Amino acid sequence: MNSNLEANFVVAVKASVLAGKEIMKVYQQEFEVSKKADNSPITEADNKANDCINKLLKQTEIPIISEENDDISFEIRKHWTKCWIVDPLDGTKEFVNRNGEFTVNIALVNEGVSTFGVIYWPVKQLLYVGDVSQNLAFRLQLTNHQFSNRLLKDVRELSPKRAHKSLKVLVSRSHASNETKKYIDNLQKTGQPIELKSIGSSLKFCQIAEGNAHLYPRFAPTMEWDTAAGHAICNAVNIKVMQVNSTNELEYNKENLYNPNFIVTFKQ
């Protein structure tokens, strides 16, 4: 399969890979863990990845919302028609626990809708990309954290699968909740066999987009940078990221950057 990406998207892909390379340098040695104001962990890897991504994305002249950047007032942000939404190291808890399930997330948002997403899994050197305008999502295996445009001819297109026998349901490895348990309990009452799998970070979106799982209910706090890239990858292959108790999908660059609870599933 041959894929073409517009120039700004290539910049985002390169930024994610270079950030992943920086993250792995820290991961392979001893590192200190600090606490942010909300008591969540942060490491040198978060900051190095963020610096790397910001440096490259600034070339696009599109404004950036990042977990590790200073907050930008909604009075400024509400005038943006486009913006990047970035999590330079999604799954810091998984990074600290050294289980490998952490990612780099970069998304382009247009008028509140995530239209392009890249997720890089540094430990596996796997790159996931979704372009909603082309209805295209693909996976690409890298070597030595190196990306070039010529590699785009060797991508593997993602193809989600509907559940036939058992329903494979993904849950967060580090953010379980009673509401999630109740939701799964109700699923089990339907009589359909349920297989549960725990996995960290935005990899849950990738697992559904490439057909390894069918459903991801999230009834625990997330921020826009946790979901924007995965949302685009899923939308590109006809998977919805629906707000719970709503007919709307998740929206981005809101005044409050927290997401409501959501469910990732096939479009009906």
Side-chain angles (χ1 to χ4, degrees):
M1 175 192 167
N2 199 357
S3 175
N4 294 309
L5 296 178
E6 66 175 75
N8 284 342
F9 295 170
V10 172
V11 172
V13 169
K14 289 180 177 177
S16 72
V17 175
L18 288 173
K21 186 174 183 179
E22 290 300 311
I23 287 168
M24 291 307 296
K25 288 178 184 177
V26 178
Y27 191 62
Q28 290 160 355
Q29 61 190 28
E30 294 299 316
F31 54 83
E32 293 186 1
V33 183
S34 303
K35 294 286 187 179
K36 295 194 284 191
D38 64 358
N39 211 36
S40 62
I42 186 170
T43 70
E44 179 185 5
D46 296 77
N47 293 323
K48 284 191 169 183
N50 193 55
D51 290 345
C52 177
I53 292 167
N54 275 277
K55 183 178 180 180
L56 283 173
L57 290 188
K58 281 178 181 174
Q59 300 173 14
T60 68
E61 299 183 347
I62 297 171
I64 304 165
I65 297 172
S66 171
E67 179 175 13
E68 308 308 341
N69 287 357
D70 292 336
D71 291 341
I72 300 170
S73 164
F74 185 64
E75 289 304 305
I76 296 172
R77 291 192 289 108
K78 70 181 181 182
H79 299 293
W80 295 351
T81 55
K82 284 185 178 182
C83 65
W84 297 108
I85 297 187
V86 174
D87 193 338
L89 176 47
D90 183 27
T92 302
K93 287 184 178 179
E94 319 308 334
F95 180 87
V96 170
N97 292 333
R98 294 187 182 275
N99 66 22
E101 293 175 356
F102 51 85
T103 57
V104 180
N105 302 344
I106 302 177
L108 184 67
V109 166
N110 286 279
E111 303 286 2
V113 177
S114 184
T115 57
F116 173 83
V118 54
I119 293 175
Y120 186 51
W121 188 1
V123 166
K124 300 289 188 181
Q125 298 190 59
L126 276 175
L127 187 68
Y128 294 88
V129 177
D131 183 347
V132 178
S133 67
Q134 294 190 55
N135 292 317
L136 172 68
F138 61 82
R139 189 180 94 173
L140 179 61
Q141 178 68 60
L142 302 186
T143 304
N144 298 324
H145 305 287
Q146 298 291 323
F147 171 81
S148 66
N149 285 15
R150 63 181 175 77
L151 295 175
L152 292 173
K153 68 180 185 300
D154 296 322
V155 302
R156 184 183 125 188
E157 192 167 354
L158 301 185
S159 180
K161 298 177 179 65
R162 292 186 183 273
H164 293 297
K165 294 181 180 178
S166 62
L167 182 69
K168 296 177 182 178
V169 181
L170 299 179
V171 293
S172 173
R173 189 176 293 285
S174 298
H175 301 277
S177 72
N178 288 331
E179 284 180 281
T180 304
K181 184 178 183 302
K182 288 178 183 176
Y183 179 84
I184 292 169
D185 286 345
N186 286 332
L187 281 179
Q188 290 172 327
K189 290 175 184 175
T190 66
Q192 184 176 18
I194 305 291
E195 291 181 45
L196 291 181
K197 182 179 180 181
S198 298
I199 189 168
S201 73
S202 60
L203 291 172
K204 292 181 282 294
F205 293 93
C206 301
Q207 289 287 299
I208 291 180
E210 66 178 327
N212 295 328
H214 309 114
L215 184 67
Y216 168 33
R218 182 66 180 226
F219 295 86
T222 59
M223 303 295 292
E224 290 187 7
W225 43 74
D226 296 315
T227 61
H231 192 158
I233 290 169
C234 283
N235 271 185
V237 289
N238 212 35
I239 298 289
K240 279 190 174 182
V241 183
M242 300 298 300
Q243 299 181 40
V244 172
N245 299 323
S246 171
T247 57
N248 297 321
E249 296 198 52
L250 293 185
E251 298 170 348
Y252 296 94
N253 192 25
K254 306 185 303 298
E255 182 170 5
N256 185 336
L257 295 174
Y258 276 93
N259 291 320
N261 293 338
F262 62 87
I263 295 172
V264 183
T265 187
F266 262 99
K267 290 185 178 179
Q268 300 303 316

